[in-house]
Amino acid sequence: MFTAIFVVGFATQPATLATFATQPATVATAPADQVLRRPDTRFARNITVFHVNQHSFGAVPVNMNTADLTGDLFFDLLEVLISPLLCQNHSHKLPGPDPCTNPEAMGADLVVNKVTLEVDSRFSGYAACNVCVEGQDPFGGYCEDGKYICDCLATGGAASWPPKLRPCNTTVGFEEVYSLMGKGIGHKGCRRSPQLPSPTPAQCYVEGVFGKLTAADGGAWYSSLEAGFCGEEGGDCTWRVASVDKIVSRSCHVRVFGEEVQRAGAPECLDACGKDRTNVTSPCWVSCLYKAALGPDAGHPDGKVGGLSLEALKQAWAKPFLGEESGGCPALEEWAGGQRRPLLNSLPVLSPWGGRPRTLLPSRAAGTLVAAL
Ligand SMILES: *[C@@H]1O[C@H](CO)[C@@H](O)[C@H](O)[C@H]1NC(C)=O
Ligand SMILES: *[C@@H]1O[C@H](CO)[C@@H](O)[C@H](O)[C@H]1NC(C)=O
Ligand SMILES: *[C@@H]1O[C@H](CO)[C@@H](O)[C@H](O)[C@H]1NC(C)=O
Ligand SMILES: *[C@@H]1O[C@H](CO)[C@@H](O)[C@H](O)[C@H]1NC(C)=O
């Protein structure tokens, strides 16, 4: 979720397909008198967040990054939807996961999860969470294949490579995209510069996307680590899933979002795509999407950035989560290690990497809650 095509040039969303242990899914049944383990009520706050991943990783974002509507819309426009254009010449040679092979853009069985998290609002610094690929943590060091790994970068750590790391903390990590990287960049629009003497349309679109961020709506990115997960045995409890609101397939999400945005563009644009007019991974369709979102000239240096307002883009991105009668996507059930089960509204939860179901039982001794396996 940590992105900075022009700032630091690497992305940290999962960069490959991870293997997922399919275990028999037994959903633990909680005793009727169960009280849930919850974050400190004095600081608890509910946040609605989104995340794209493979269905098999589950909707509970243990060691994953999530974002609010603006934050995920931006990630999508900056790194995922743009990839057919950005990767046409496959020139990405910067450190970190390669967005041109990012399965979150291209992989099979992708879903977009909408969940409400109850979090302790004393946020920590953001952790970049990725699926471990070939034992290599994208920020240096080793990790276990197919599992999510999170790294907290030291302030300014992204400026050097490998970046400096600092210890993560157990409260949810938070970062505002605008403060971090939007402020100085996009509002100048797409310009020729010594670093970029002839920006491509894709590079100009990225600048245009940054330009849509505002101080008032700057996009929030979160990291929710296992060490603070209330569904784990013992340890700190700084976040839990209050509800899994809806899971939609990524393909439906792109189609509904795309139709909504393309409606605002010039119809001739898509007409010129011929058989690719509904092909969301074709450079032609993607160009029309960005022209509609950012204005027809946003792909050229010094081109005017216009197109849809941030509010309209957000509504389009959220539309798949409406009911089907309102044009939304069909709701998928949550994945449960080989079986599907109904959406969870509370704990207990399964660890998304196929761990054992955990039931939370009141502890007789302390009057607090402990997790029993
Ligand atoms: C969060 O939402 C859940 C269920 O929707 C509710 O029970 C809980 O009280 C809410 N927490 C806060 C801090 O508002
Ligand atoms: C790819 O490279 C060609 C030739 O350099 C250039 O004309 C074209 O605009 C590039 N496409 C993109 C999407 O960057
Ligand atoms: C975690 O807490 C320590 C001690 O307060 C601090 O030095 C460190 O920067 C924090 N890390 C993050 C990611 O917030
Ligand atoms: C969609 O476009 C991509 C990229 O040009 C192409 O590889 C793919 O075959 C197209 N899909 C269809 C169904 O035409």
Side-chain angles (χ1 to χ4, degrees):
M1 185 67 75
F2 183 95
T3 181
I5 289 175
F6 287 94
V7 188
V8 290
F10 53 82
T12 66
Q13 287 251 331
T16 196
L17 302 176
T19 47
F20 180 77
T22 46
Q23 298 197 343
T26 31
V27 176
T29 38
D33 62 347
Q34 179 186 310
V35 186
L36 300 172
R37 202 169 170 238
R38 290 173 63 169
D40 188 330
T41 48
R42 291 171 301 163
F43 304 102
R45 197 170 109 193
N46 281 342
I47 56 174
T48 296
V49 295
F50 300 85
H51 64 113
V52 179
N53 62 3
Q54 287 178 266
H55 204 180
S56 53
F57 276 110
V60 180
V62 175
N63 285 346
M64 295 184 201
N65 293 140
T66 56
D68 70 359
L69 178 53
T70 304
D72 232 22
L73 163 71
F74 273 81
F75 181 77
D76 211 359
L77 287 171
L78 281 174
E79 291 243 346
V80 185
L81 292 165
I82 194 92
S83 52
L85 276 189
L86 198 65
C87 304
Q88 248 176 356
N89 295 336
H90 199 20
S91 55
H92 179 86
K93 292 188 190 75
L94 294 156
D98 182 348
C100 298
T101 56
N102 185 349
E104 296 213 317
M106 321 288 193
D109 203 24
L110 290 180
V111 296
V112 188
N113 305 280
K114 179 184 181 186
V115 296
T116 300
L117 305 181
E118 188 176 58
V119 301
D120 184 322
S121 56
R122 292 170 293 177
F123 294 119
S124 305
Y126 180 76
C129 298
N130 293 282
V131 176
C132 180
V133 180
E134 291 166 4
Q136 283 276 274
D137 181 335
F139 294 103
Y142 298 97
C143 52
E144 194 178 332
D145 257 12
K147 284 198 173 180
Y148 272 91
I149 168 105
C150 298
D151 293 303
C152 290
L153 271 57
T155 314
S160 59
W161 192 264
K164 286 197 180 63
L165 301 180
R166 57 175 167 160
C168 297
N169 296 305
T170 56
T171 53
V172 169
F174 165 77
E175 179 163 276
E176 203 214 41
V177 189
Y178 178 78
S179 327
L180 186 78
M181 55 180 100
K183 262 181 193 163
I185 315 170
H187 296 278
K188 295 197 293 283
C190 182
R191 298 274 184 276
R192 297 177 201 279
S193 70
Q195 294 81 18
L196 270 181
S198 41
T200 63
Q203 288 166 331
C204 282
Y205 292 142
V206 168
E207 297 286 317
V209 171
F210 274 120
K212 297 269 169 178
L213 287 170
T214 64
D217 194 353
W221 286 353
Y222 300 96
S223 50
S224 39
L225 306 192
E226 185 181 11
F229 181 42
C230 301
E232 291 288 310
E233 185 182 8
D236 281 356
C237 166
T238 69
W239 69 275
R240 71 175 186 110
V241 176
S243 55
V244 176
D245 302 322
K246 190 168 178 180
I247 304 171
V248 300
S249 74
R250 174 64 181 167
S251 55
C252 181
H253 187 275
V254 174
R255 183 177 56 73
V256 171
F257 172 66
E259 279 169 5
E260 207 58 20
V261 173
Q262 301 269 22
R263 215 194 306 283
E268 312 82 80
C269 190
L270 276 183
D271 289 344
C273 294
K275 67 173 177 33
D276 277 339
R277 83 181 321 281
T278 57
N279 182 349
V280 302
T281 58
S282 68
C284 191
W285 186 92
V286 174
S287 295
C288 294
L289 180 85
Y290 282 84
K291 284 179 182 160
L294 305 172
D297 299 322
H300 311 295
D302 302 320
K304 185 175 174 294
V305 177
L308 287 169
S309 66
L310 175 59
E311 205 43 53
L313 287 168
K314 283 168 67 177
Q315 272 181 28
W317 207 88
K319 187 176 176 186
F321 298 98
L322 298 178
E324 283 182 81
E325 71 289 351
S326 312
C329 293
L332 302 180
E333 291 196 338
E334 196 180 349
W335 179 276
Q339 282 180 20
R340 311 260 158 150
R341 65 195 157 115
L343 293 181
L344 288 173
N345 285 316
S346 61
L347 294 173
V349 295
L350 283 170
S351 293
W353 51 79
R356 292 157 301 220
R358 288 147 202 268
T359 311
L360 297 170
L361 302 167
S363 149
R364 267 160 223 127
T368 55
L369 295 165
V370 294
L373 296 182

